[in-house]
Amino acid sequence: MNTQTGLREDTLELLIAIGHLARVYRYFDEARYLFERLATVYPQRAFPYLGLGLIEVDRANYRGAARLFGHALELVPDNAQACAWLGASQVLEGHFALGVRTLLNVIGSDEPSAAAMAEAFLKLPECAPFTRGVRIHRAAQSAPVPSFSTLNRLNFRGRH
């Protein structure tokens, strides 16, 4: 790796971190502006659309989030994070069967955080009718089952 490439990668990582920090502190307009600019510079990469989708999750616009995560998956079909967040958005929107089908694609993923998130959502009582007969990763069997009230406390506003 040459110095110029390393500097560009470091700058990109810093911009992404700034976008997520703005999002976490609820500076949604600023975060959206940054991720939209990154999407202009990197239109074939998934990360700007993941950032934009997370802004929509934070704003409880799950339909908009699903659209953005779906676009990220169109660009990078094997992106486990995009797939997990798409499934989570579908579940939070109340589309449990669709969300379960999407989340099942993430189980066993090489991306531990995406797989763990998928397993947690699949354990929601609202998803149970759609996971009957489906073997979920053993780690999920011992993990605590989140509830919609837990998700609401985490700033997710589920619709049931």
Side-chain angles (χ1 to χ4, degrees), residues 48-93:
Y49 304 102
L50 286 168
L52 290 165
L54 289 171
I55 292 166
E56 296 309 316
V57 167
D58 291 340
R59 297 183 66 155
N61 177 10
Y62 306 119
R63 182 171 294 141
R67 184 179 45 77
L68 290 158
F69 296 136
H71 184 68
L73 272 175
E74 289 172 8
L75 296 172
V76 185
D78 62 344
N79 188 306
Q81 286 290 333
C83 191
W85 278 110
L86 173 59
S89 297
Q90 292 165 334
V91 167
L92 291 167
E93 181 69 22

Side-chain angles (χ1 to χ4, degrees), residues 113-157:
S113 61
M117 183 172 77
E119 291 168 1
F121 271 89
L122 287 169
K123 290 179 67 178
L124 286 170
E126 293 81 359
C127 293
F130 308 102
T131 59
R132 282 185 180 46
V134 175
R135 185 171 166 94
I136 298 175
H137 192 268
R138 284 176 34 147
Q141 313 269 327
S142 61
V145 178
S147 66
F148 269 109
S149 63
T150 300
L151 294 172
N152 284 333
R153 284 195 308 272
L154 294 172
N155 196 32
F156 292 111
R157 293 171 191 88

Side-chain angles (χ1 to χ4, degrees), residues 15-32:
L15 289 170
I16 293 168
I18 291 168
H20 285 296
L21 190 62
R23 179 183 65 76
V24 167
Y25 282 98
R26 306 186 70 73
Y27 292 105
F28 297 129
D29 292 338
E30 292 81 355
R32 181 177 291 111

